[in-house]
Amino acid sequence: MITPLTPVPFRAPGSDGTGRQGYPPAPEPLPVPVMDNHTHLDFPRDELKVSIAGALDAAEAVGVRGAVQVGCDLESSRFTVQAVDLDARLLGAVALHPNDAPGYAARGELEDALAEIEALAVHPRIRAIGETGLDFFRTEGEGLARQRYSFRRHIDIAKRLGLTLQIHDRDAHDDVVQVLREEGAPDRVVFHCFSGGEELARICNSEGWYMSFAGTLTFKNAANLRAALAIAEPERILVETDAPFLTPHPHRGRPNASYMVPYTVRAMAELTGWELSEMCSRIAGNTLQAYGSWD
C-alpha cells in the first residue's frame, strides 16, 4: 500500500523555501461543482507535495468536487489504483504513456507491463485507460513503431473492459485519428489536454469524442484552442488541469493543482459567451457521461 503524500499546506507565492514560486492563490469558487478529469497527484516536487486529501480539500473548497488521477507507467498506475481507495473523490486511469512504451519494449518488458495495466484496470474505480496515444515531439525512429503498437493494445484493453480511453496526442493528430479509426474506437474517447484546432474539433464532433481543455486554453499563443472551443459541440467539452503542469494564465509557470480548474472554466465561459453556471453544469454532466458516477 502507498501512504498519502506528505501533508503540507498549499504554499503562498515564493514561500517554498527554494527561491521558486509556490502554488498560486485560490480562485473564486465556481457556482456549480465540476470535476478535474486529468491530474497527477504523484508528480509534484517533494517540497510542494500535499496529501491526497489536502489536494482534494483545496479543490472542493472552490467547486471542484472530484478528479481523475492518471497513471503514466507501472509505478504511477499502481499508485492510482491505491489512491482511488483512499478518497472517494477520486476515480482513476491507468496506462503506459506513449513516451514510456518504447523503453518497456526495448527492455523486453512491454507485454508484461501491458498485462499488468489490464489487471490494474479491473478495479471498479478505474474508469479509463490512459494516458495513451502518440507523441511525435519526444519520440522518433524505432520508438514510433513501438508507440503505435502500445497505443493499439491500449485501445483493445479499453474496448474489452468497457472503459473510457484517455488520449495523449502531441504533434500527432492525424496519426492518432487514423489509429482510432483503424482499430475502432471505444465507446468513450477523451482527447486529454486537447491540442488541436478547428479540424480536429470537427472530427471529435463527428466521432462523438470528448475534448478536454486545460490551462493551455488561456495561453496567449493558443488561438487554435480557442478556435476549437468555439466550434466544439457543448456535449463534447471537459476540463482538466494536467497538474502539476500547464497552470492557467495569469499563473503560468507556477505549480498546478485541481483547485486551479476554475480559472480555466471561467475562460471557457467567457470565450463561448455562456453563463458560468451553464458552463459548469455542462462540464459536470459531460464528465459523468465520460467516466460514470463518483458515488
Side-chain angles (χ1 to χ4, degrees):
M1 285 291 292
I2 59 170
T3 57
L5 301 179
T6 305
V8 299
F10 282 90
R11 301 176 186 274
S15 66
D16 69 1
T18 66
R20 293 188 288 257
Q21 291 182 315
Y23 287 100
E28 289 294 316
L30 294 171
V32 176
V34 302
M35 297 76 122
D36 176 3
N37 92 107
H38 192 108
T39 189
H40 302 279
L41 288 167
D42 52 322
F43 275 16
R45 300 188 303 263
D46 286 344
E47 69 273 11
L48 292 175
K49 282 185 178 179
V50 296
S51 67
I52 290 172
L56 295 172
D57 287 348
E60 192 169 18
V62 296
V64 183
R65 73 175 187 87
V68 179
Q69 156 64 27
V70 179
C72 295
D73 55 19
L74 288 182
E75 183 179 6
S76 61
S77 293
R78 293 165 186 154
F79 172 96
T80 296
V81 170
Q82 296 175 50
V84 297
D85 282 332
L86 293 176
D87 198 302
R89 292 169 292 184
L90 280 184
L91 295 179
V94 296
L96 308 178
H97 192 282
N99 288 325
D100 289 313
Y104 283 103
R107 297 189 298 272
E109 300 170 356
L110 182 57
E111 296 304 327
D112 286 345
L114 288 166
E116 182 171 350
I117 290 297
E118 182 166 356
L120 293 170
V122 301
H123 188 292
R125 295 190 69 80
I126 298 300
R127 303 292 177 78
I129 298 297
E131 58 190 281
T132 182
L134 299 173
D135 188 317
F136 292 175
F137 180 77
R138 292 196 179 122
T139 301
E140 58 187 7
E142 186 178 354
L144 295 179
R146 291 167 171 169
Q147 270 194 8
R148 290 176 188 275
Y149 174 78
S150 177
F151 184 25
R152 292 178 191 275
R153 290 290 306 277
H154 281 84
I155 292 171
D156 177 63
I157 293 170
K159 289 165 66 175
R160 286 189 290 100
L161 297 184
L163 297 177
T164 301
L165 187 74
Q166 274 204 4
I167 299 292
H168 172 100
D169 164 25
R170 188 166 187 184
D171 296 347
H173 309 321
D174 292 344
D175 294 79
V176 166
V177 171
Q178 179 183 352
V179 171
L180 285 170
R181 286 173 168 168
E182 288 176 352
E183 294 297 314
D187 291 339
R188 298 171 304 281
V189 173
V190 176
F191 275 72
H192 135 67
C193 190
F194 184 85
S195 60
E198 292 181 73
E199 181 180 358
L200 184 57
R202 290 192 180 94
I203 291 171
C204 289
N205 285 340
S206 175
E207 298 284 353
W209 298 335
Y210 294 98
M211 293 165 266
S212 179
F213 292 93
T216 45
L217 179 76
T218 70
F219 294 176
K220 291 181 180 180
N221 62 348
N224 64 312
L225 301 183
R226 292 185 280 275
L229 176 62
I231 65 169
E233 293 178 352
E235 62 269 24
R236 296 291 120 215
I237 60 173
L238 302 173
V239 72
E240 66 173 88
T241 56
D242 197 20
F245 314 109
L246 307 182
T247 308
H249 178 80
H251 302 293
R252 185 177 181 180
R254 304 267 290 277
N256 201 4
S258 291
Y259 79 94
M260 297 290 287
V261 159
Y263 287 105
T264 303
V265 175
R266 284 189 166 86
M268 294 171 72
E270 291 172 5
L271 289 166
T272 58
W274 296 7
E275 292 290 336
L276 180 58
S277 59
E278 180 186 8
M279 177 60 74
C280 293
S281 295
R282 175 63 72 176
I283 289 171
N286 291 347
T287 309
L288 292 176
Q289 288 294 319
Y291 299 102
S293 174
W294 265 251
D295 297 331

